[in-house]
Amino acid sequence: MNRCTGAALTTNESIAQSMSDILSTRLGTRVMRREYGSLLPDLVDHPFNDITRLQVYAATVMALTRWEPRVSLGRVQFLGATLQGRASLDIEGSIVDSNQPLSLSVPLHLGGSA
């Protein structure tokens, strides 16, 4: 179910919505599930360099591997952030149940634009 409109979602749309929620949730902010989320919100003010890019990849893979069991990751590409705090990740992999290929662009709303 779409969290904004309540409309029904396809499997790919549901996975994309779940991934966006996981990646944009700061660790420790969910009541009764303090380990839910990722380290990506902590990287908002870091300089955009190779070290930060590697930290983004590591945070993404660790969070999605733990909290999104419907997907087997193959590739993650960080496309950078705009001045408004928006970034996106291109994620490729497969859906575990059907072994169908999955290619998504997951928007991240971090910082002041959230």
Side-chain angles (χ1 to χ4, degrees):
M1 175 182 295
N2 185 305
R3 66 177 159 221
C4 298
T5 65
L9 295 175
T10 65
T11 300
N12 286 3
E13 291 170 337
S14 173
I15 289 172
Q17 178 176 279
S18 174
M19 286 181 172
S20 180
D21 183 64
I22 291 165
L23 295 174
S24 62
T25 300
R26 186 180 304 274
L27 289 174
T29 58
R30 281 276 171 98
V31 177
M32 302 297 289
R33 195 178 268 191
R34 297 291 182 192
E35 296 177 2
Y36 179 84
S38 76
L39 295 172
L40 283 181
D42 295 333
L43 299 173
V44 170
D45 293 328
H46 287 229
F48 188 67
N49 57 28
D50 291 339
I51 294 170
T52 304
R53 184 177 291 272
L54 287 175
Q55 289 174 331
V56 166
Y57 292 144
T60 300
V61 172
M62 288 186 325
L64 294 180
T65 300
R66 177 157 190 201
W67 295 108
E68 187 49 79
R70 298 178 288 177
V71 174
S72 175
L73 296 176
R75 185 182 78 110
V76 175
Q77 183 176 7
F78 181 58
L79 297 180
T82 64
L83 293 176
Q84 291 79 26
R86 293 188 185 100
S88 64
L89 292 165
D90 279 348
I91 298 174
E92 293 180 8
S94 62
I95 299 173
V96 172
D97 291 343
S98 63
N99 204 27
Q100 291 180 345
L102 177 71
S103 180
L104 298 172
S105 180
V106 179
L108 301 175
H109 305 290
L110 305 170
S113 68

